[in-house]
């Protein structure tokens, strides 16, 4: 690695992949246990301002004509995620 270069970690690469899809007009939906923050603090797709009680999702602001980006946090249970995805898939 050249001087001054920084490695791209897994969470950043994941967000860049989402941004690439969104900028091409594809919708992206992530769901699961603590999906917005990332269970092990690797993702950070939703930022929360504790004092103002507001949140901001940068991937919802990639470009004017981007696809829709949706984050759905589920209960901290593998069964809850599976049940949600099954129900979502059968109704969509």
């Amino acid at each position: 690695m050249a001087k001054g270069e920084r490695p791209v970690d897994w969470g950043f690469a994941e967000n860049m992949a989402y941004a690439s899809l969104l900028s091409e007009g594809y919708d992206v939906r992530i769901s699961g246990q603590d999906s917005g923050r990332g269970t092990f603090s690797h993702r950070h797709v939703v930022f929360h301002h504790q004092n103002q009680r507001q949140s901001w999702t940068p991937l919802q602001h990639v470009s004017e004509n981007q696809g829709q980006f949706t984050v759905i946090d589920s209960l901290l249970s593998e069964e809850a995620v599976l049940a949600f995805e099954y129900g979502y898939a059968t109704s969509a």
Side-chain angles (χ1 to χ4, degrees):
M1 187 174 307
K3 184 178 179 181
E5 289 185 2
R6 304 187 81 188
V8 174
D9 67 9
W10 186 86
F12 182 71
E14 180 184 52
N15 285 331
M16 292 302 293
Y18 293 150
S20 176
L21 290 168
L22 291 165
S23 69
E24 292 179 12
Y26 292 98
D27 294 339
V28 175
R29 177 179 58 86
I30 60 173
S31 66
Q33 303 171 5
D34 203 11
S35 292
R37 182 180 59 118
T39 303
F40 299 105
S41 301
H42 65 273
R43 184 173 289 133
H44 303 296
V45 296
V46 180
F47 294 96
H48 298 277
H49 192 295
Q50 292 180 344
N51 294 334
Q52 296 180 2
R53 296 181 184 232
Q54 295 177 336
S55 62
W56 184 61
T57 307
L59 288 171
Q60 292 176 339
H61 307 280
V62 173
S63 66
E64 287 187 29
N65 298 316
Q66 74 176 58
Q68 182 178 353
F69 182 72
T70 307
V71 179
I72 302 169
D73 290 326
S74 72
L75 299 173
L76 296 176
S77 154
E78 294 296 333
E79 290 84 8
V81 176
L82 180 62
F84 174 82
E85 289 298 329
Y86 177 77
Y88 188 92
T90 57
S91 66

